[in-house]
């Protein structure tokens, strides 16, 4: 093992949205089988790691997008849980000075915590010189949460199982323009899945599948065809728990967005636009909606956690 003496390493941790999220029946372990099309976007948290003889984690938050009180800093923080999992897997002592700088809102359906965990696995594997392969890190990631494996590989991928089994979708970076309307409120993932179960009780929930036409349109970077297939089975449960989402979706639709969808378990809403200028028009309209905290322009797909030269 060759630890990087005195070095400070900085990594980007991108947000994700789901262009498609089909939710199947509840499994015996309480999870749901999914058919998910994940895309990583260029809205980033940043993670800096340095050698230390103990464990330190400091978190700062961009007040435009994140309530600092919402970010867990103790044993609930996914960066800490990722560090513990990597230390256990490799036998390396749990020693690092870590600074997490948050821009991705918490409990927002953008996998911010999952992406921080993925970045921590990559960063500490580099800092500690522990030599894990990407496959090793993906296996550790799956123990931390259903979205963490995708956050590790980034780009675009179809997720099956509970979201952790991934098939990469080839496509050009930064090919689609989005507006992310983040919310003044939060939704817990578990609560939204429970609402899905409540709303579908008594109905046969089919096994979901991502449409081939959507995959082809994403690879071809054709926003109009992508727009025709964007869908999320957690949207109705999210609206049921947070009815104000209806006016956010309507505002983007009225502003001419090509498609609008709640991201993951919400409450962030993702609006697909034709290009940068169109995204600006949609942003302007959304900034007038009282429950919208920030309207962010984002492009994707982008790579997973990457070292940044500072
Ligand atoms: O895997 P993760 O910890 O992110 O999941 C949070 C919660 O979301 C789970 O406890 C479960 O209630 C729900 N979930 C689910 N099916 C999935 C993924 C998550 O029911 N495929």
């Amino acid at each position: 093992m060759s630890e990087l003496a005195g070095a400070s390493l900085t990594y980007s941790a991108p947000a994700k949205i789901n262009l498609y999220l089909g939710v199947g029946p509840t499994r015996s372990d309480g999870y749901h089988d999914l058919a998910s099309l994940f895309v990583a976007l260029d809205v980033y948290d940043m993670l800096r790691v340095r050698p230390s003889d103990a464990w330190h984690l400091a978190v700062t938050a961009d007040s435009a997008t994140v309530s600092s009180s919402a970010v867990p800093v103790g044993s609930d923080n996914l960066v800490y849980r990722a560090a513990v999992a990597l230390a256990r897997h490799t036998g390396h002592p749990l020693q690092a000075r870590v600074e997490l700088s948050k821009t991705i809102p918490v409990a927002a359906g953008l996998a911010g915590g999952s992406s921080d965990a993925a970045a921590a696995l990559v960063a500490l594997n580099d800092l500690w010189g522990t030599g894990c392969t990407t496959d090793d890190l993906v296996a550790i990631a799956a123990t931390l949460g259903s979205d963490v494996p995708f956050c590790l590989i980034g780009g675009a991928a179809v997720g099956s199982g509970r979201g952790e089994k991934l098939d990469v979708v080839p496509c050009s970076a930064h090919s689609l323009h989005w507006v992310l309307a983040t919310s003044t409120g939060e939704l817990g993932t578990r609560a939204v899945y429970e609402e899905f179960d409540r709303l579908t009780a008594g109905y046969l929930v089919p096994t979901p599948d991502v449409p081939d036409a959507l995959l082809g349109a994403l690879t071809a970077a054709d926003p109009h065809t992508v727009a025709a297939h964007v869908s999320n089975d957690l949207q109705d449960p999210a609206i049921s728990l947070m009815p104000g989402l209806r006016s956010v979706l309507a505002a983007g639709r009225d502003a001419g967005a090509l498609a609008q969808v709640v991201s993951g378990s919400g409450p962030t809403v993702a609006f697909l636009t034709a290009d940068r200028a169109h995204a600006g028009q949609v942003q302007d309209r959304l900034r007038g909606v009282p429950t919208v905290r920030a309207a962010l322009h984002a492009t994707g797909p982008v790579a997973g956690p990457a070292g940044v030269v500072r």
Side-chain angles (χ1 to χ4, degrees), residues 106-145:
V106 176
L110 296 172
S114 299
S115 193
D116 299 341
L121 291 176
V122 174
L124 294 172
N125 188 42
D126 287 349
L127 183 77
W128 292 344
T130 33
C132 292
T133 63
T134 301
D135 283 352
D136 294 334
L137 296 182
V138 166
I140 298 170
T143 69
L144 298 169

Short mmCIF file of all heavy atoms in Angstrom, two decimals, residues 106-145:
data_model
loop_
_atom_site.label_atom_id
_atom_site.label_comp_id
_atom_site.label_asym_id
_atom_site.label_seq_id
_atom_site.Cartn_x
_atom_site.Cartn_y
_atom_site.Cartn_z
N VAL A 106 -30.41 17.77 -0.06
CA VAL A 106 -30.58 16.52 0.70
C VAL A 106 -32.03 16.03 0.56
O VAL A 106 -32.95 16.85 0.52
CB VAL A 106 -30.25 16.79 2.19
CG1 VAL A 106 -30.50 15.56 3.06
CG2 VAL A 106 -28.80 17.25 2.32
N ALA A 107 -32.23 14.71 0.50
CA ALA A 107 -33.57 14.11 0.41
C ALA A 107 -34.37 14.76 -0.72
O ALA A 107 -35.50 15.19 -0.55
CB ALA A 107 -34.32 14.23 1.75
N ALA A 108 -33.74 14.80 -1.89
CA ALA A 108 -34.30 15.55 -3.03
C ALA A 108 -34.54 14.68 -4.26
O ALA A 108 -35.00 15.18 -5.28
CB ALA A 108 -33.36 16.69 -3.40
N GLY A 109 -34.18 13.39 -4.20
CA GLY A 109 -34.34 12.54 -5.39
C GLY A 109 -33.20 12.68 -6.38
O GLY A 109 -33.30 12.24 -7.52
N LEU A 110 -32.09 13.29 -5.95
CA LEU A 110 -30.94 13.52 -6.83
C LEU A 110 -29.73 12.66 -6.43
O LEU A 110 -28.64 12.81 -7.00
CB LEU A 110 -30.53 15.00 -6.81
CG LEU A 110 -31.58 15.96 -7.36
CD1 LEU A 110 -31.16 17.41 -7.12
CD2 LEU A 110 -31.80 15.74 -8.86
N ALA A 111 -29.91 11.77 -5.47
CA ALA A 111 -28.86 10.83 -5.02
C ALA A 111 -27.62 11.55 -4.51
O ALA A 111 -26.50 11.04 -4.64
CB ALA A 111 -28.48 9.86 -6.13
N GLY A 112 -27.80 12.72 -3.90
CA GLY A 112 -26.63 13.47 -3.41
C GLY A 112 -25.82 12.66 -2.41
O GLY A 112 -24.60 12.53 -2.54
N GLY A 113 -26.47 12.09 -1.40
CA GLY A 113 -25.76 11.31 -0.39
C GLY A 113 -25.11 10.08 -1.00
O GLY A 113 -23.97 9.72 -0.65
N SER A 114 -25.81 9.43 -1.93
CA SER A 114 -25.26 8.24 -2.60
C SER A 114 -24.03 8.62 -3.42
O SER A 114 -23.05 7.88 -3.46
CB SER A 114 -26.32 7.63 -3.53
OG SER A 114 -27.44 7.22 -2.79
N SER A 115 -24.08 9.77 -4.08
CA SER A 115 -22.94 10.21 -4.89
C SER A 115 -21.76 10.58 -4.00
O SER A 115 -20.60 10.29 -4.34
CB SER A 115 -23.36 11.39 -5.76
OG SER A 115 -22.40 11.62 -6.75
N ASP A 116 -22.03 11.18 -2.85
CA ASP A 116 -20.95 11.48 -1.89
C ASP A 116 -20.28 10.18 -1.44
O ASP A 116 -19.05 10.11 -1.32
CB ASP A 116 -21.50 12.22 -0.66
CG ASP A 116 -22.15 13.55 -1.00
OD1 ASP A 116 -21.90 14.09 -2.09
OD2 ASP A 116 -22.95 14.03 -0.15
N ALA A 117 -21.10 9.15 -1.19
CA ALA A 117 -20.55 7.86 -0.76
C ALA A 117 -19.68 7.26 -1.86
O ALA A 117 -18.59 6.74 -1.60
CB ALA A 117 -21.69 6.90 -0.41
N ALA A 118 -20.16 7.32 -3.11
CA ALA A 118 -19.39 6.78 -4.23
C ALA A 118 -18.06 7.53 -4.37
O ALA A 118 -17.00 6.91 -4.56
CB ALA A 118 -20.22 6.89 -5.52
N ALA A 119 -18.12 8.86 -4.26
CA ALA A 119 -16.88 9.66 -4.36
C ALA A 119 -15.93 9.32 -3.22
O ALA A 119 -14.71 9.26 -3.42
CB ALA A 119 -17.22 11.15 -4.36
N ALA A 120 -16.48 9.07 -2.03
CA ALA A 120 -15.63 8.72 -0.88
C ALA A 120 -14.91 7.39 -1.12
O ALA A 120 -13.73 7.25 -0.79
CB ALA A 120 -16.47 8.66 0.40
N LEU A 121 -15.62 6.42 -1.70
CA LEU A 121 -14.96 5.12 -2.00
C LEU A 121 -13.79 5.33 -2.95
O LEU A 121 -12.70 4.80 -2.74
CB LEU A 121 -15.97 4.14 -2.61
CG LEU A 121 -17.08 3.63 -1.68
CD1 LEU A 121 -18.05 2.74 -2.46
CD2 LEU A 121 -16.49 2.85 -0.50
N VAL A 122 -14.02 6.11 -4.02
CA VAL A 122 -12.97 6.34 -5.02
C VAL A 122 -11.82 7.13 -4.40
O VAL A 122 -10.63 6.78 -4.54
CB VAL A 122 -13.55 7.09 -6.24
CG1 VAL A 122 -12.45 7.47 -7.22
CG2 VAL A 122 -14.61 6.23 -6.94
N ALA A 123 -12.15 8.18 -3.65
CA ALA A 123 -11.13 9.08 -3.09
C ALA A 123 -10.27 8.36 -2.05
O ALA A 123 -9.04 8.47 -2.07
CB ALA A 123 -11.83 10.29 -2.45
N LEU A 124 -10.92 7.61 -1.16
CA LEU A 124 -10.15 6.95 -0.08
C LEU A 124 -9.36 5.77 -0.63
O LEU A 124 -8.26 5.48 -0.15
CB LEU A 124 -11.09 6.54 1.06
CG LEU A 124 -11.72 7.73 1.79
CD1 LEU A 124 -12.78 7.26 2.78
CD2 LEU A 124 -10.65 8.57 2.50
N ASN A 125 -9.90 5.10 -1.65
CA ASN A 125 -9.12 4.03 -2.30
C ASN A 125 -7.84 4.62 -2.89
O ASN A 125 -6.77 4.00 -2.80
CB ASN A 125 -9.98 3.38 -3.38
CG ASN A 125 -9.36 2.13 -3.97
OD1 ASN A 125 -8.79 1.29 -3.26
ND2 ASN A 125 -9.43 2.01 -5.30
N ASP A 126 -7.93 5.82 -3.46
CA ASP A 126 -6.73 6.49 -3.99
C ASP A 126 -5.82 6.96 -2.85
O ASP A 126 -4.62 6.73 -2.88
CB ASP A 126 -7.12 7.70 -4.86
CG ASP A 126 -7.72 7.28 -6.20
OD1 ASP A 126 -7.64 6.08 -6.54
OD2 ASP A 126 -8.27 8.15 -6.90
N LEU A 127 -6.42 7.63 -1.85
CA LEU A 127 -5.61 8.20 -0.75
C LEU A 127 -4.87 7.10 0.00
O LEU A 127 -3.70 7.25 0.36
CB LEU A 127 -6.51 8.97 0.22
CG LEU A 127 -5.79 9.67 1.36
CD1 LEU A 127 -5.12 10.95 0.88
CD2 LEU A 127 -6.75 9.99 2.51
N TRP A 128 -5.59 6.01 0.27
CA TRP A 128 -5.01 4.93 1.08
C TRP A 128 -4.17 3.96 0.24
O TRP A 128 -3.48 3.11 0.81
CB TRP A 128 -6.15 4.14 1.77
CG TRP A 128 -6.87 4.93 2.84
CD1 TRP A 128 -6.45 6.08 3.43
CD2 TRP A 128 -8.14 4.61 3.43
NE1 TRP A 128 -7.38 6.50 4.36
CE2 TRP A 128 -8.43 5.61 4.39
CE3 TRP A 128 -9.08 3.58 3.27
CZ2 TRP A 128 -9.60 5.61 5.15
CZ3 TRP A 128 -10.24 3.57 4.02
CH2 TRP A 128 -10.49 4.58 4.96
N GLY A 129 -4.25 4.09 -1.09
CA GLY A 129 -3.50 3.16 -1.94
C GLY A 129 -3.95 1.72 -1.73
O GLY A 129 -3.15 0.79 -1.77
N THR A 130 -5.26 1.53 -1.51
CA THR A 130 -5.77 0.20 -1.17
C THR A 130 -6.01 -0.68 -2.39
O THR A 130 -6.32 -1.86 -2.24
CB THR A 130 -7.02 0.30 -0.28
OG1 THR A 130 -7.78 1.47 -0.63
CG2 THR A 130 -6.63 0.46 1.16
N GLY A 131 -5.92 -0.11 -3.59
CA GLY A 131 -5.87 -0.93 -4.81
C GLY A 131 -7.13 -1.69 -5.17
O GLY A 131 -7.07 -2.66 -5.92
N CYS A 132 -8.29 -1.28 -4.65
CA CYS A 132 -9.54 -1.96 -5.05
C CYS A 132 -9.83 -1.64 -6.51
O CYS A 132 -9.61 -0.51 -6.97
CB CYS A 132 -10.71 -1.49 -4.19
SG CYS A 132 -10.61 -2.02 -2.48
N THR A 133 -10.37 -2.63 -7.23
CA THR A 133 -10.80 -2.40 -8.60
C THR A 133 -12.17 -1.73 -8.59
O THR A 133 -12.86 -1.69 -7.56
CB THR A 133 -10.93 -3.74 -9.36
OG1 THR A 133 -11.96 -4.49 -8.69
CG2 THR A 133 -9.62 -4.52 -9.33
N THR A 134 -12.60 -1.25 -9.77
CA THR A 134 -13.96 -0.67 -9.86
C THR A 134 -15.00 -1.72 -9.46
O THR A 134 -15.97 -1.40 -8.75
CB THR A 134 -14.23 -0.16 -11.29
OG1 THR A 134 -13.24 0.83 -11.60
CG2 THR A 134 -15.61 0.47 -11.41
N ASP A 135 -14.80 -2.97 -9.87
CA ASP A 135 -15.77 -4.03 -9.49
C ASP A 135 -15.83 -4.20 -7.97
O ASP A 135 -16.91 -4.38 -7.40
CB ASP A 135 -15.39 -5.37 -10.14
CG ASP A 135 -15.77 -5.41 -11.62
OD1 ASP A 135 -16.46 -4.48 -12.09
OD2 ASP A 135 -15.35 -6.37 -12.29
N ASP A 136 -14.64 -4.14 -7.32
CA ASP A 136 -14.63 -4.24 -5.84
C ASP A 136 -15.45 -3.09 -5.24
O ASP A 136 -16.25 -3.29 -4.32
CB ASP A 136 -13.20 -4.09 -5.28
CG ASP A 136 -12.26 -5.22 -5.68
OD1 ASP A 136 -12.75 -6.33 -5.94
OD2 ASP A 136 -11.03 -4.96 -5.73
N LEU A 137 -15.21 -1.87 -5.77
CA LEU A 137 -15.88 -0.69 -5.20
C LEU A 137 -17.39 -0.74 -5.47
O LEU A 137 -18.19 -0.35 -4.61
CB LEU A 137 -15.28 0.61 -5.77
CG LEU A 137 -13.80 0.87 -5.43
CD1 LEU A 137 -13.36 2.21 -6.04
CD2 LEU A 137 -13.56 0.86 -3.93
N VAL A 138 -17.78 -1.25 -6.65
CA VAL A 138 -19.22 -1.37 -6.96
C VAL A 138 -19.88 -2.35 -5.97
O VAL A 138 -20.99 -2.11 -5.48
CB VAL A 138 -19.45 -1.81 -8.43
CG1 VAL A 138 -20.88 -2.26 -8.66
CG2 VAL A 138 -19.10 -0.65 -9.38
N ALA A 139 -19.18 -3.43 -5.63
CA ALA A 139 -19.74 -4.41 -4.67
C ALA A 139 -19.89 -3.76 -3.30
O ALA A 139 -20.92 -3.96 -2.62
CB ALA A 139 -18.84 -5.65 -4.59
N ILE A 140 -18.91 -2.98 -2.87
CA ILE A 140 -19.03 -2.28 -1.57
C ILE A 140 -20.17 -1.26 -1.66
O ILE A 140 -20.98 -1.11 -0.74
CB ILE A 140 -17.71 -1.58 -1.19
CG1 ILE A 140 -16.59 -2.62 -1.02
CG2 ILE A 140 -17.87 -0.77 0.10
CD1 ILE A 140 -15.20 -2.00 -0.89
N ALA A 141 -20.25 -0.56 -2.80
CA ALA A 141 -21.28 0.48 -3.00
C ALA A 141 -22.68 -0.10 -2.81
O ALA A 141 -23.55 0.55 -2.21
CB ALA A 141 -21.13 1.10 -4.39
N ALA A 142 -22.90 -1.33 -3.30
CA ALA A 142 -24.24 -1.92 -3.22
C ALA A 142 -24.66 -2.17 -1.78
O ALA A 142 -25.86 -2.24 -1.48
CB ALA A 142 -24.29 -3.23 -4.03
N THR A 143 -23.68 -2.29 -0.86
CA THR A 143 -24.03 -2.49 0.55
C THR A 143 -24.45 -1.17 1.21
O THR A 143 -25.00 -1.17 2.31
CB THR A 143 -22.85 -3.09 1.37
OG1 THR A 143 -21.81 -2.10 1.48
CG2 THR A 143 -22.31 -4.35 0.72
N LEU A 144 -24.17 -0.05 0.55
CA LEU A 144 -24.42 1.27 1.14
C LEU A 144 -25.77 1.85 0.73
O LEU A 144 -26.31 2.71 1.42
CB LEU A 144 -23.30 2.24 0.75
CG LEU A 144 -21.90 1.85 1.25
CD1 LEU A 144 -20.84 2.71 0.58
CD2 LEU A 144 -21.83 2.00 2.77
N GLY A 145 -26.31 1.42 -0.42
CA GLY A 145 -27.59 1.94 -0.89
C GLY A 145 -27.82 1.56 -2.34
O GLY A 145 -26.86 1.32 -3.08
#
